[in-house]
Short mmCIF file of all heavy atoms in Angstrom, two decimals:
data_model
loop_
_atom_site.label_atom_id
_atom_site.label_comp_id
_atom_site.label_asym_id
_atom_site.label_seq_id
_atom_site.Cartn_x
_atom_site.Cartn_y
_atom_site.Cartn_z
N ALA A 266 -125.96 37.39 -20.12
CA ALA A 266 -127.00 36.40 -20.12
C ALA A 266 -126.44 35.07 -20.58
O ALA A 266 -125.35 34.93 -21.21
CB ALA A 266 -128.16 36.74 -21.09
N GLY A 267 -127.11 33.94 -20.23
CA GLY A 267 -126.74 32.61 -20.61
C GLY A 267 -127.87 31.89 -21.22
O GLY A 267 -128.95 32.49 -21.42
N ARG A 268 -127.63 30.74 -21.71
CA ARG A 268 -128.76 29.89 -22.23
C ARG A 268 -128.60 28.47 -21.66
O ARG A 268 -127.62 28.15 -21.07
CB ARG A 268 -128.58 29.74 -23.79
CG ARG A 268 -128.61 31.08 -24.57
CD ARG A 268 -130.15 31.55 -24.59
NE ARG A 268 -130.26 32.68 -25.46
CZ ARG A 268 -129.94 34.02 -25.09
NH1 ARG A 268 -129.47 34.21 -23.93
NH2 ARG A 268 -130.15 34.94 -26.05
N LEU A 269 -129.65 27.68 -21.82
CA LEU A 269 -129.57 26.26 -21.35
C LEU A 269 -128.57 25.47 -22.10
O LEU A 269 -128.11 24.44 -21.58
CB LEU A 269 -130.95 25.71 -21.43
CG LEU A 269 -132.04 26.33 -20.55
CD1 LEU A 269 -133.41 25.65 -20.72
CD2 LEU A 269 -131.68 26.27 -19.07
N GLY A 270 -128.26 25.84 -23.27
CA GLY A 270 -127.18 25.15 -24.06
C GLY A 270 -126.50 26.18 -25.02
O GLY A 270 -126.94 27.30 -25.09
N VAL A 271 -125.43 25.70 -25.59
CA VAL A 271 -124.74 26.59 -26.53
C VAL A 271 -125.58 26.71 -27.81
O VAL A 271 -125.87 25.79 -28.43
CB VAL A 271 -123.33 25.96 -26.84
CG1 VAL A 271 -122.66 26.86 -27.89
CG2 VAL A 271 -122.57 25.84 -25.59
N ASP A 272 -125.89 28.00 -28.13
CA ASP A 272 -126.61 28.32 -29.42
C ASP A 272 -126.01 29.52 -30.02
O ASP A 272 -125.15 30.23 -29.52
CB ASP A 272 -128.06 28.41 -29.15
CG ASP A 272 -128.41 29.54 -28.23
OD1 ASP A 272 -127.56 30.35 -27.95
OD2 ASP A 272 -129.60 29.57 -27.74
N GLU A 273 -126.50 29.80 -31.29
CA GLU A 273 -125.95 30.91 -32.04
C GLU A 273 -126.27 32.24 -31.46
O GLU A 273 -125.43 33.19 -31.48
CB GLU A 273 -126.52 30.84 -33.47
CG GLU A 273 -125.87 31.68 -34.50
CD GLU A 273 -126.33 31.44 -35.91
OE1 GLU A 273 -126.65 30.29 -36.23
OE2 GLU A 273 -126.40 32.39 -36.68
N GLU A 274 -127.53 32.40 -30.98
CA GLU A 274 -127.89 33.73 -30.38
C GLU A 274 -127.05 34.11 -29.15
O GLU A 274 -126.64 35.19 -28.97
CB GLU A 274 -129.43 33.60 -29.94
CG GLU A 274 -129.88 34.89 -29.38
CD GLU A 274 -131.43 34.85 -28.97
OE1 GLU A 274 -131.96 33.75 -29.18
OE2 GLU A 274 -131.88 35.81 -28.43
N LEU A 275 -126.79 33.05 -28.30
CA LEU A 275 -126.00 33.29 -27.07
C LEU A 275 -124.59 33.84 -27.48
O LEU A 275 -124.13 34.75 -26.96
CB LEU A 275 -125.82 32.02 -26.31
CG LEU A 275 -124.72 31.93 -25.20
CD1 LEU A 275 -125.12 32.90 -24.10
CD2 LEU A 275 -124.68 30.58 -24.59
N MET A 276 -123.94 33.13 -28.50
CA MET A 276 -122.63 33.48 -28.86
C MET A 276 -122.57 34.87 -29.50
O MET A 276 -121.66 35.63 -29.30
CB MET A 276 -122.09 32.43 -29.83
CG MET A 276 -121.82 31.03 -29.17
SD MET A 276 -120.66 31.23 -27.80
CE MET A 276 -120.68 29.52 -27.22
N ARG A 277 -123.62 35.18 -30.30
CA ARG A 277 -123.60 36.43 -30.95
C ARG A 277 -123.71 37.64 -29.94
O ARG A 277 -123.01 38.61 -30.08
CB ARG A 277 -124.77 36.53 -32.01
CG ARG A 277 -124.76 37.82 -32.77
CD ARG A 277 -125.87 37.80 -33.81
NE ARG A 277 -127.29 37.71 -33.24
CZ ARG A 277 -127.98 36.60 -33.33
NH1 ARG A 277 -127.53 35.50 -33.90
NH2 ARG A 277 -129.13 36.61 -32.77
N GLN A 278 -124.64 37.46 -28.97
CA GLN A 278 -124.78 38.54 -27.99
C GLN A 278 -123.59 38.67 -27.09
O GLN A 278 -123.08 39.75 -26.87
CB GLN A 278 -125.99 38.19 -27.13
CG GLN A 278 -126.33 39.28 -26.08
CD GLN A 278 -127.51 38.85 -25.17
OE1 GLN A 278 -127.33 38.54 -23.98
NE2 GLN A 278 -128.71 38.94 -25.71
N ALA A 279 -122.94 37.53 -26.73
CA ALA A 279 -121.75 37.72 -25.89
C ALA A 279 -120.64 38.34 -26.67
O ALA A 279 -119.88 39.13 -26.16
CB ALA A 279 -121.31 36.26 -25.39
N ALA A 280 -120.48 38.01 -28.03
CA ALA A 280 -119.50 38.61 -28.83
C ALA A 280 -119.74 40.12 -28.99
O ALA A 280 -118.77 40.90 -29.00
CB ALA A 280 -119.42 37.88 -30.12
N ASP A 281 -120.97 40.47 -29.12
CA ASP A 281 -121.28 41.90 -29.27
C ASP A 281 -120.90 42.68 -27.98
O ASP A 281 -120.41 43.80 -28.10
CB ASP A 281 -122.82 42.06 -29.63
CG ASP A 281 -123.19 41.57 -31.02
OD1 ASP A 281 -122.19 41.39 -31.83
OD2 ASP A 281 -124.33 41.30 -31.28
#
Side-chain angles (χ1 to χ4, degrees):
R268 296 290 188 279
L269 295 178
V271 176
D272 59 16
E273 191 174 328
E274 182 183 359
L275 167 65
M276 292 302 174
R277 183 176 63 254
Q278 185 182 103
D281 291 343

